[in-house]
Amino acid sequence: MNENNTDSGQATTTYQNAGTIFKSFFEDIGNVVVGQNRVVEQIVIAILCEGHALVESNPGLGKTLMISTVSKAMNLKFSRIQCTPDLMPSDITGTNVIEEQDNKKEFRFQPGPVFANVVLADEINRASPKTQSALLEAMQEKQVTVGNDTFMLDRPFFILATQNPIEMEGTYPLPEAQLDRFLLKILVDYPSHEEEMEIINRYTKSEVPKVSRGLDKSTLLDLQKLTRQVPISEELKQRVLSIVGMTRKDKEHIEYGASPRASIGLILAAKARALIEGRNFVSKEDVDYMAYPVLRHRLILTFEAERSGMTPDQAIEEIIRKLK
């Protein structure tokens, strides 16, 4: 990595201290979140890539706690939107309100919860399609348009959405076009026996664990720039294109494959993982590891594959196995 490409001396210092920064950061999160290292790492990867993440798990596995803890550890403004069928777009973006001043009435924009650095859209599949689409402009353009006015969102800006896969009655599954806006789909599994015992020990005491340290915003912005500067070989770029291309060619298992946005996302995610791992180059393992969260929500399996019980992860695994 060429340190001279960074915009400031502070960015160079951030690069030199990146290993220490991430070690301290993950230790701090570990004081609150027990286990789930892979999930936390992937949330941070999405943030480093300036992307958004969809987090899916059964109820009670700490999705909200993980996301709010990461935002606190990064010293970022955090807001939470509880999605419900009656939630309106203006409840998210904000609206113009009438304000009386000096005997004159005028409209003033009242910002909604989307005006934060980290926005948790809890159970996003419970919101109506009209409300879900209100997030599209914010996710892609980092701005909100209300009436004739456009308001820029503060950087960094991330939407981390959650959904529950087992309570589907009365929900609105996200359309493929909106799913493609999420860089990663992260799956949260049950903790091990030892981890669940630690959860019990921590959260049945009088004092609840808290985050003690945090990154400053400028350091995070520098880390985002450094992520894009991590070198990747032409050979690995070709591997990324081969993986994504095979999702479009495997008509036996996959009806619709991934878009070019997946190719971009996979390279960026692999770069972010290499930076977190303390390497100044992308490895083949980075690409293969990140293929699952980058691609699993971008594939539509054929009816026959779904009927046989195949999952998107199994389809991705089969593609990677063929390329080895």
Side-chain angles (χ1 to χ4, degrees):
M1 185 185 300
N2 186 352
E3 298 171 19
N4 295 324
N5 289 338
T6 53
D7 294 338
S8 66
Q10 182 182 346
T12 301
T13 304
T14 301
Y15 168 62
Q16 293 170 342
N17 298 329
T20 305
I21 290 171
F22 284 121
K23 183 175 183 293
S24 174
F25 177 77
F26 285 117
E27 284 177 356
D28 201 21
I29 291 176
N31 292 332
V32 177
V33 179
V34 179
Q36 303 294 0
N37 297 332
R38 175 186 56 82
V39 177
V40 173
E41 179 192 52
Q42 291 180 11
I43 290 174
V44 174
I45 285 172
I47 291 173
L48 290 176
C49 296
E50 301 180 72
H52 311 285
L54 181 64
V55 185
E56 183 175 284
S57 80
N58 295 337
L61 295 185
K63 299 184 294 292
T64 303
L65 176 65
M66 275 185 276
I67 294 169
S68 63
T69 301
V70 168
S71 70
K72 289 174 184 175
M74 289 183 169
N75 266 332
L76 297 176
K77 183 180 179 184
F78 173 76
S79 69
R80 180 176 181 267
I81 302 168
Q82 182 62 53
C83 296
T84 57
D86 60 348
L87 188 73
M88 298 298 292
S90 58
D91 296 330
I92 294 175
T93 60
T95 187
N96 289 315
V97 296
I98 298 177
E99 192 174 68
E100 188 169 349
Q101 191 173 7
D102 299 330
N103 295 324
K104 291 182 180 180
K105 292 181 180 179
E106 57 182 24
F107 283 104
R108 180 179 62 83
F109 178 66
Q110 179 65 45
V114 77
F115 286 85
N117 298 117
V118 178
V119 179
L120 168 60
D122 218 355
E123 296 189 278
I124 191 172
N125 55 335
R126 293 197 176 278
S128 67
K130 184 177 182 180
T131 302
Q132 290 173 0
S133 65
L135 291 171
L136 279 177
E137 183 184 18
M139 291 174 69
Q140 189 66 25
E141 309 297 335
K142 307 291 194 300
Q143 65 183 29
V144 168
T145 300
V146 178
N148 295 324
D149 299 317
T150 299
F151 304 91
M152 300 304 298
L153 297 168
D154 188 27
R155 298 293 184 94
F157 173 75
F158 318 100
I159 288 180
L160 300 174
T162 70
Q163 64 180 14
N164 179 348
I166 64 172
E167 294 179 0
M168 301 303 291
E169 186 175 350
T171 63
Y172 305 89
L174 290 169
E176 281 68 32
Q178 188 156 348
L179 280 172
D180 200 38
R181 308 271 177 169
F182 288 97
L183 175 67
L184 306 179
K185 181 179 180 180
I186 303 169
L187 304 181
V188 185
D189 205 353
Y190 286 103
S192 66
H193 179 82
E194 293 75 15
E195 289 170 345
E196 193 160 358
M197 179 60 73
E198 178 61 24
I199 292 170
I200 292 171
N201 291 335
R202 283 192 196 181
Y203 288 92
T204 54
K205 295 178 181 177
S206 57
E207 291 187 10
V208 178
K210 295 180 181 179
V211 174
S212 58
R213 298 183 297 270
L215 293 175
D216 59 84
K217 191 181 292 187
S218 62
T219 300
L220 177 57
L221 292 173
D222 286 339
L223 288 170
Q224 289 179 335
K225 294 174 186 175
L226 291 167
T227 296
R228 292 178 177 267
Q229 294 173 19
V230 175
I232 179 171
S233 67
E234 290 299 319
E235 182 184 356
L236 287 179
K237 287 181 185 178
Q238 290 296 336
R239 183 173 182 82
V240 168
L241 292 180
S242 297
I243 292 172
V244 175
M246 285 184 70
T247 67
R248 304 166 193 160
K249 296 174 183 175
D250 183 8
K251 297 301 182 182
E252 182 184 354
H253 303 117
I254 301 172
E255 188 170 356
Y256 295 102
S259 71
R261 188 180 281 144
S263 303
I264 297 170
L266 182 49
I267 288 176
L268 283 176
K271 287 185 173 190
R273 185 172 187 262
L275 185 66
I276 288 175
E277 294 286 324
R279 285 180 279 103
N280 62 350
F281 61 92
V282 176
S283 70
K284 176 174 168 287
E285 197 231 338
D286 293 326
V287 171
D288 293 354
Y289 176 82
M290 294 309 304
Y292 294 92
V294 169
L295 295 175
R296 61 167 59 108
H297 57 299
R298 292 182 161 100
L299 307 182
I300 299 178
L301 300 181
T302 61
F303 174 75
E304 290 77 13
E306 288 188 336
R307 187 176 63 177
S308 67
M310 175 176 270
T311 64
D313 278 20
Q314 289 172 333
I316 297 165
E317 184 179 11
E318 181 70 14
I319 288 171
I320 292 174
R321 186 185 62 79
K322 288 178 180 177
L323 287 174
K324 284 183 177 178

